[in-house]
Amino acid sequence: MDELTTAFLDQADHLPPQSAAQTSHGRVIAVRGAVVDVAFDGAALPLIEESLAIIADEGPPIIAEVQAHVDEHTVRALALQSTNGLRRGAPVQASGGPIQVPVGEAMLGRLIDVTGAPGDRGAPLPVHVPRRPIHRPAPPLSSQGAATGIFATGIKVIDLLTPLAQGGKAAMFGGAGVGKTVLVMELIHAMVERYQGISVFAGVGERSREGHEMLLDIRNSGVLPRTVLVYGQMNEPPGARWRVPLTALTVAEYFRDERHQNVLLLMDNVFRFVQAGAEVSGLLGRLPSRVGYQPTLASEVAGLQERIVSVGDVSVTAIEAVYVPADDFTDPAVTTIAAHVDSMVMLSRSMAAQGMYPAIDPIASSSILLDPLVVGAEHAAVATEVRRTIEHYRELQDVISLLGVEELGADDRRMVGRARRLQRFLTQPFAVTEAFTGVPGRSVTVADTLAGCSAILAGDCDTWQESSLYMVGTLEEACAREQASHDTAPAVDGQAPRSTTP
């Protein structure tokens, strides 16, 4: 018997007695792509969000989820797997409850799909692995903990300007090709030694290539034994991509609530969750709302995000990548997701075009933790001055492009030079890109980041070459590069090159 079939038939053992007694049988009466109409003649209709097993002529049963009651005897369900070859009259069995997925220690190091079936060609899951429903309410507000601790990443621009919260939600917003997935992979790599909890990665609408690269990177970094991977790839039906985040969240909630372990939840890409919901809404015949999105956009995003919380002294820290369609940050999906996060990391296409990686916009990015009461007075003051300096430089860019920097006043020229050096100092090489660039990755402490930015703002680096600060870790490394450039500079008019320490 197929593992998925066994899991579904065993699901009644994990349901309350009254639910198990209400299981009923029906038959398929219509198939329209991923939408299946099922008739339950003379039997009680399954509830909304209850799972169904459609017995196909060949292969394992197709798992579907009830989305609407059409009439007294018919329900409309959404299939989470392909319905190719499904015929009318195929028998259907209701489970008596929502989709249940395996959770617990047996899931560590495994890759599963939306229904919990392994996809890594590993050993079958244990027969008695615990299972939990993917639909459950968010913890009550009275039991939720506050997110005030700093989650250090070793990435300078994030730790300085958009600090992440331990037990909070952070989102990386950016268009296509600006480095969202690379940034998420670097965060995973950077937290291998810092973070000792459980990691759950949700790949929502990922390309097969990206999923393969992510799996290899996690294996090579040595964190796979503490990681659960949940994938609903781009080539799967919209129902699978729509429910994959809930599957990953259910696994994370088990470790938080029953194992009392901190969990790092990584999601790439949350926009694909919204996009899948829009596809499902269209398949179900609902009228579209603003910009063609589903009318239930706000409630669907809230239903997912409000479950990502800390309870007591145990935290779930979420880091989410969000695709921005056509670089439009006013898109309804983007603004709806942004309303739920604590730290917003905005990636800029113009900075990526200039080679400023990570291409994080220091002005548009923000965090509720950038407060003197949380990060300290020195950190908040340095971050504010960095933003003010770069913002002033941007205001002068039109003048510079028309007249040249020589036409600016002395104070403005000095500030422009410091802003350009700050922008270059906030770049750094990543460990996950070392194979492509040949440059080893750098991880920088918050103290070193503050020291470097303070020195640049104070004018200690005004005579340095800008290239000395580009793609380095600490200011000491930049100083060594500057010194080396002077040591190798050719002599002028027979004089020895300048060799004093800048």
Side-chain angles (χ1 to χ4, degrees):
M1 183 178 293
D2 181 87
E3 182 174 350
L4 184 59
T5 309
T6 305
F8 187 88
L9 295 178
D10 289 345
Q11 182 167 319
D13 297 338
H14 302 274
L15 298 171
Q18 63 272 23
S19 300
Q22 293 171 359
T23 57
S24 51
H25 299 270
R27 55 186 173 84
V28 174
I29 59 173
V31 180
R32 293 180 296 277
V35 176
V36 181
D37 287 354
V38 182
F40 289 86
D41 299 324
L45 288 183
L47 302 178
I48 302 296
E49 296 181 346
E50 185 172 327
S51 62
L52 309 175
I54 305 173
I55 312 302
D57 292 335
E58 296 181 357
I62 298 171
I63 304 301
E65 187 178 84
V66 177
Q67 294 297 319
H69 289 176
V70 178
D71 55 40
E72 296 179 351
H73 305 288
T74 310
V75 300
R76 183 156 293 160
L78 180 70
L80 303 188
Q81 286 119 356
S82 173
T83 57
N84 289 341
L86 186 63
R87 59 175 178 82
R88 287 186 295 174
V92 179
Q93 179 180 348
S95 68
I99 295 172
Q100 298 208 1
V101 295
V103 296
E105 303 288 341
M107 307 310 299
L108 296 176
R110 303 304 302 269
L111 185 149
I112 60 175
D113 64 9
V114 63
T115 62
D120 52 7
R121 299 181 182 178
L125 297 177
V127 176
H128 299 294
V129 63
R131 294 179 178 271
R132 297 293 181 270
I134 65 172
H135 297 287
R136 58 178 297 186
L141 188 62
S142 58
S143 67
Q144 296 181 17
T148 56
I150 299 298
F151 201 89
T153 66
I155 300 175
K156 290 182 288 189
V157 64
I158 290 181
D159 290 341
L160 175 67
L161 299 176
T162 61
L164 308 187
Q166 175 82 30
K169 293 188 281 285
M172 319 290 175
F173 296 91
V178 296
K180 296 182 302 299
T181 300
V182 170
L183 189 56
V184 171
M185 291 174 67
E186 179 66 17
L187 285 170
I188 295 174
H189 188 276
M191 294 172 186
V192 171
E193 296 180 357
R194 290 183 175 88
Y195 190 75
Q196 299 300 321
I198 301 298
S199 299
V200 179
F201 179 83
V204 187
E206 289 287 274
R207 302 173 183 88
S208 299
R209 171 187 56 80
E210 291 175 335
H212 183 66
E213 290 176 356
M214 177 69 72
L215 179 58
L216 288 178
D217 187 70
I218 290 179
R219 277 178 176 164
N220 295 335
S221 64
V223 296
L224 188 60
R226 301 198 310 272
T227 305
V228 182
L229 303 172
V230 188
Y231 271 92
Q233 295 188 158
M234 191 175 287
N235 61 336
E236 296 189 50
R241 290 178 273 123
W242 193 37
R243 291 313 191 198
V244 154
L246 300 186
T247 298
L249 190 52
T250 302
V251 175
E253 286 173 334
Y254 175 85
F255 286 106
R256 179 195 66 191
D257 298 337
E258 302 189 35
R259 295 292 184 179
H260 303 289
Q261 293 177 286
N262 292 331
V263 181
L264 175 63
L265 178 63
L266 302 124
M267 304 177 73
D268 187 9
N269 185 303
V270 181
F271 176 80
R272 304 298 180 196
F273 162 74
V274 174
Q275 192 177 47
E279 293 180 45
V280 169
S281 181
L283 289 171
L284 294 174
R286 297 173 185 155
L287 290 176
S289 182
R290 197 160 50 121
V291 199
Y293 286 107
Q294 61 270 41
T296 54
L297 171 63
S299 59
E300 288 177 9
V301 173
L304 172 68
Q305 299 288 351
E306 293 304 307
R307 288 172 61 181
I308 307 174
V309 295
S310 301
V311 177
D313 58 350
V314 185
S315 65
V316 173
T317 304
I319 297 175
E320 309 169 5
V322 183
Y323 168 69
V324 179
D327 290 341
D328 180 11
F329 287 90
T330 63
D331 186 86
V334 176
T335 56
T336 303
I337 296 169
H340 292 273
V341 300
D342 305 315
S343 301
M344 292 192 295
V345 180
M346 302 295 204
L347 286 95
S348 165
R349 187 170 301 280
S350 63
M351 293 189 65
Q354 298 171 31
M356 300 295 175
Y357 289 107
I360 296 173
D361 189 330
I363 308 303
S365 302
S366 63
S367 172
I368 63 171
L369 269 73
L370 195 59
D371 185 284
L373 298 177
V374 179
V375 297
E378 179 191 3
H379 187 152
V382 171
T384 301
E385 186 63 19
V386 167
R387 276 209 176 103
R388 189 182 72 85
T389 303
I390 295 176
E391 178 66 20
H392 188 65
Y393 168 51
R394 290 186 177 181
E395 292 172 356
L396 295 172
Q397 279 184 326
D398 288 342
V399 176
I400 295 171
S401 62
L402 289 173
L403 303 177
V405 71
E406 294 81 8
E407 298 300 320
L408 299 176
D411 290 341
D412 284 342
R413 283 202 306 272
R414 188 183 310 112
M415 185 166 286
V416 166
R418 291 174 185 176
R420 289 176 61 86
R421 288 171 174 81
L422 281 171
Q423 285 185 329
R424 282 150 181 79
F425 178 67
L426 291 177
T427 63
Q428 71 188 84
F430 281 173
V432 296
T433 59
E434 182 177 348
F436 308 101
T437 63
V439 180
R442 303 288 194 276
S443 180
V444 185
T445 64
V446 177
D448 287 338
T449 301
L450 293 176
C453 291
S454 298
I456 295 173
L457 291 170
D460 296 347
C461 309
D462 285 355
T463 60
W464 292 18
Q465 299 178 20
E466 293 179 1
S467 59
S468 298
L469 295 159
Y470 179 69
M471 285 294 173
V472 297
T474 62
L475 193 66
E476 287 75 13
E477 183 182 348
C479 181
R481 183 185 292 182
E482 176 73 9
Q483 182 65 48
S485 68
H486 287 304
D487 291 343
T488 57
V492 179
D493 296 332
Q495 297 179 357
R498 184 179 62 179
S499 59
T500 54
T501 302

